[in-house]
């Protein structure tokens, strides 16, 4: 597995080694020991989540506040997404900045998003399945949502794809009104 750093250095892309032959493909999607070596410490996942989204569905920007903050290891098992993470750590030099990356079942890459970030994605293809591991359990009392089109963050979402949002995501807060991490 290869580690790729993004503009926000705490966000990492994990690229598996894929073995292909006439029968198909094989790759190791998760190995606790390798993940710990690559990310520099013990990362314990406690929950797996899977979503199915139609093209144009935008999910996010979600996060959970302390004591329920979650790190996420996100991958696409079918289709393609435009994935986004926003830094909510006040003490970080990249506070309020975001990174984006296209994840797909074709490129087989995963993104590591540590606690302290909001996360969201836009489904770029039909019937996208996203699987993500979390380091904390879901708690609806700790869940928060930032507006996907917040004018402070200014995410450059892909053009030409209509966006379908849940009521919860449409009611997300402005970045300046969110709860941050210290």
């Amino acid at each position: 597995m290869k580690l790729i750093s993004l503009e926000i250095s705490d966000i990492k892309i994990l690229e598996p080694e894929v073995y292909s032959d006439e029968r198909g493909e094989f790759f190791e999607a998760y190995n606790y020991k390798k993940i710990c070596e690559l990310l520099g410490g013990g990362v314990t996942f406690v929950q797996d989540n899977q979503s199915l989204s139609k093209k144009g569905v935008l999910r996010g920007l979600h996060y959970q506040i302390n004591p329920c903050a979650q790190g996420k290891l996100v991958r696409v098992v079918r289709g393609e997404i435009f994935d986004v993470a926003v830094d909510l750590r006040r003490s970080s030099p990249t506070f309020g900045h975001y990174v984006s990356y296209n994840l797909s079942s074709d490129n087989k890459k995963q993104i590591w998003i540590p606690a302290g970030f909001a996360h969201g994605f836009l489904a770029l293809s039909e019937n996208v399945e996203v699987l993500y591991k979390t380091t904390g359990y879901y708690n609806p009392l700790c869940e928060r949502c930032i507006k996907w089109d917040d004018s402070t963050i200014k995410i450059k979402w892909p053009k030409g794809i209509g966006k379908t949002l849940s009521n919860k995501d449409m009611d997300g807060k402005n970045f300046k009104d969110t709860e941050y991490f210290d």
Side-chain angles (χ1 to χ4, degrees), residues 93-147:
T94 56
F95 173 69
H97 297 194
Y98 77 93
V99 292
S100 61
Y101 201 88
N102 281 32
L103 299 175
S104 70
S105 53
D106 288 340
N107 70 23
K108 297 168 186 52
K109 294 178 181 176
Q110 300 178 72
I111 191 166
W112 163 245
I113 303 167
F117 287 81
H119 173 251
F121 66 85
L122 174 65
L124 300 177
S125 58
E126 298 299 327
N127 299 318
V128 173
E129 280 187 77
V130 176
L131 176 66
Y132 58 100
K133 296 180 172 306
T134 64
T135 60
Y137 294 105
Y138 172 73
N139 184 328
L141 299 176
C142 294
E143 183 180 30
R144 301 294 186 269
C145 181
I146 300 172
K147 287 184 180 285

Side-chain angles (χ1 to χ4, degrees), residues 38-54:
L38 289 171
L39 299 178
V43 177
T44 303
F45 296 105
V46 298
Q47 183 174 318
D48 277 358
N49 299 321
Q50 188 163 341
S51 69
L52 175 65
S53 301
K54 295 179 180 181

Side-chain angles (χ1 to χ4, degrees), residues 60-62 144-150 165-175 177-178:
L61 302 161
H62 302 153
R144 301 294 186 269
C145 181
I146 300 172
K147 287 184 180 285
W148 67 278
D149 60 351
D150 180 83
L165 287 88
S166 69
N167 289 337
K168 175 176 67 175
D169 291 345
M170 285 190 285
D171 293 337
K173 289 186 175 185
N174 291 314
F175 179 76
D177 298 325
T178 61

